[in-house]
Amino acid sequence: MTTTRNRRRTFPWQVMLTTAVAALAAMPAPAAAQAAANDEVTFTRDIAPILQRSCQKCHQPNSLAPMSLIDYEEVRPWARAIKLRTGLRDKPGVMPPWYIEKDIGIQRFKDDPSLSDEEVALIARWADNGAPRGNPADLPPPVPFIDVDQWEIGQPDLIVSSPSFDVAGDAPDWWGSIGEVPTGLTEDRYVAAMEYKEITESSVGETRNTVGGLFVVHHATLGVTDPNPDENEDDPLAAQRRWPTHEVGRNADVFDPEAGKIMKAGSKLQFNSMHLHANGADTRAHLDVGFKFHPRGYKPTRKWVRMSFGNGVDLDI
Ligand code: HEC
């Protein structure tokens, strides 16, 4: 029982008091009522901060999850589903979708959104108790969401737009190439960070309120041509290999500062492997790819190498 308490408020004497009073079950005990009231898990005080930290990046109107989890009214109908999904821990379907086991391997990750055992238990207790709202005064201020038009990497030095594509509201999924676009670079530059944005140019009809409902690109792989391969390199085509893929909901990619990725003068971006899907509306869209460069004169001190091992699913890296 004690593990189901919020750590902040777990005082041994409180546990003992509650247990002791519970043992005198039949007696009306004002002290017990008082303890229970203080101890009630509420949305405003206990649950909202968890949702802000670990859920709202996706569960908000402009993101990819199927429903928004910001206001109590939005969250309340999902209380039981939230208990179920957060309780899955490292199993498929867990929320937040973070499958790192808690008892083996590396545990410290940047921006780790996963929940502690105490938080999972707190959510379960809240749901089992009828998901009470609590005191509105306890509600933390809302977290600001990054504007969808804003670049996480900061204003890019170069933005390359893919060719536009049309996806009818009821079209079947489509895989293929939409062609290539010159980067316009007249000198070699090293890329420090990059980011994709799907831009809707027009949308006619109702988009579906489902995963990816705001988007028509499921994923896109990017090729960067190398018009001038360095034959002395171990891997002469290293410059054009292995650029990050775009997927719905993907964060920006920031490369190791010592291993900037070269993009050469006269190169082109190739959008050779797209997966498009209908979102209910007749949609015309394109991808914008933003690049941040290292300063001119930068030279990497580390090399990119290709390594293949495992299958990427069974590994905790
Ligand atoms: C990285 C994005 C992301 C984060 C973070 C995230 N979710 Fe989700 N959530 C999704 C997506 C996508 C779906 C739909 C796919 C699915 O059902 O698994 C979903 C589905 C759900 C569902 C099931 C909805 C249904 O139709 O039954 C619940 C409940 C849920 N999320 C709760 C949460 C909670 C609570 C958190 C935080 C503790 C959270 N999610 C964090 C993306 C996210």
Side-chain angles (χ1 to χ4, degrees):
M1 280 309 278
T2 59
T3 56
T4 63
R5 286 164 178 270
N6 182 343
R7 205 192 267 140
R8 278 189 288 133
R9 297 196 310 282
T10 306
F11 303 112
W13 60 264
Q14 234 184 13
V15 178
M16 281 162 54
L17 178 68
T18 319
T19 318
V21 174
L24 305 171
M27 274 182 68
Q34 189 63 36
N38 286 342
D39 218 33
E40 187 181 60
V41 184
T42 67
F43 173 78
T44 53
R45 188 188 53 201
D46 306 292
I47 304 302
I50 299 176
L51 301 180
Q52 289 187 342
R53 195 195 79 228
S54 295
C55 319
Q56 291 178 2
K57 191 172 179 206
C58 299
H59 287 276
Q60 50 132 322
N62 284 323
S63 192
L64 60 112
M67 74 287 192
S68 175
L69 293 178
I70 299 175
D71 299 331
Y72 180 71
E73 287 70 22
E74 292 170 337
V75 175
R76 176 64 188 88
W78 295 100
R80 298 213 69 78
I82 290 172
K83 174 189 169 188
L84 178 80
R85 293 296 200 102
T86 53
L88 294 175
R89 303 312 263 150
D90 51 20
K91 310 264 181 336
V94 65
M95 289 291 145
W98 177 268
Y99 304 96
I100 309 292
E101 288 161 75
K102 291 279 182 189
D103 54 358
I104 187 169
I106 297 166
Q107 294 298 318
R108 290 180 51 212
F109 294 89
K110 193 174 163 215
D111 299 332
D112 178 350
S114 66
L115 306 182
S116 65
D117 290 340
E118 289 80 6
E119 287 169 325
V120 170
L122 203 66
I123 290 172
R125 221 170 88 197
W126 172 71
D128 291 344
N129 254 342
R133 180 196 297 263
N135 182 353
D138 291 337
L139 196 63
V143 287
F145 298 124
I146 189 160
D147 187 334
V148 278
D149 298 330
Q150 209 178 316
W151 295 85
E152 279 175 45
I153 57 172
Q155 187 54 37
D157 300 310
L158 173 70
I159 300 175
V160 182
S161 299
S162 78
S164 301
F165 38 83
D166 292 292
V167 183
D170 59 355
D173 284 30
W174 182 87
W175 288 265
S177 168
I178 56 165
E180 56 182 31
V181 182
T183 59
L185 282 187
T186 53
E187 57 185 329
D188 294 358
R189 292 299 299 265
Y190 281 95
V191 177
M194 65 176 288
E195 185 176 348
Y196 293 88
K197 281 194 186 299
E198 180 180 327
I199 309 293
T200 304
E201 297 172 26
S202 64
S203 172
V204 178
E206 277 282 300
T207 56
R208 276 196 289 270
N209 196 18
T210 55
V211 185
L214 297 173
F215 306 102
V216 291
V217 180
H218 177 276
H219 74 269
T221 61
L222 181 73
V224 180
T225 64
D226 183 352
N228 187 16
D230 182 348
E231 299 301 340
N232 298 322
E233 282 283 320
D234 316 337
D235 180 1
L237 291 178
Q240 71 185 54
R241 290 197 219 283
R242 297 280 150 172
W243 289 79
T245 300
H246 170 62
E247 294 136 344
V248 173
R250 186 185 178 103
N251 293 327
D253 284 270
V254 179
F255 302 136
D256 183 325
E258 292 180 54
K261 226 167 141 39
I262 196 165
M263 185 180 263
K264 297 206 177 160
S267 54
K268 293 176 184 160
L269 300 195
Q270 298 176 315
F271 299 91
N272 282 346
S273 176
M274 306 282 295
H275 173 184
L276 306 181
H277 62 82
N279 65 1
D282 294 345
T283 304
R284 186 174 181 83
H286 68 264
L287 292 178
D288 276 351
V289 196
F291 298 94
K292 273 285 209 205
F293 293 136
H294 283 291
R296 290 190 171 80
Y298 162 95
K299 283 270 177 269
T301 52
R302 293 188 188 177
K303 274 171 96 173
W304 285 74
V305 292
R306 279 182 84 169
M307 283 174 75
S308 300
F309 56 94
N311 57 14
V313 173
D314 295 337
L315 294 175
D316 171 3
I317 301 177

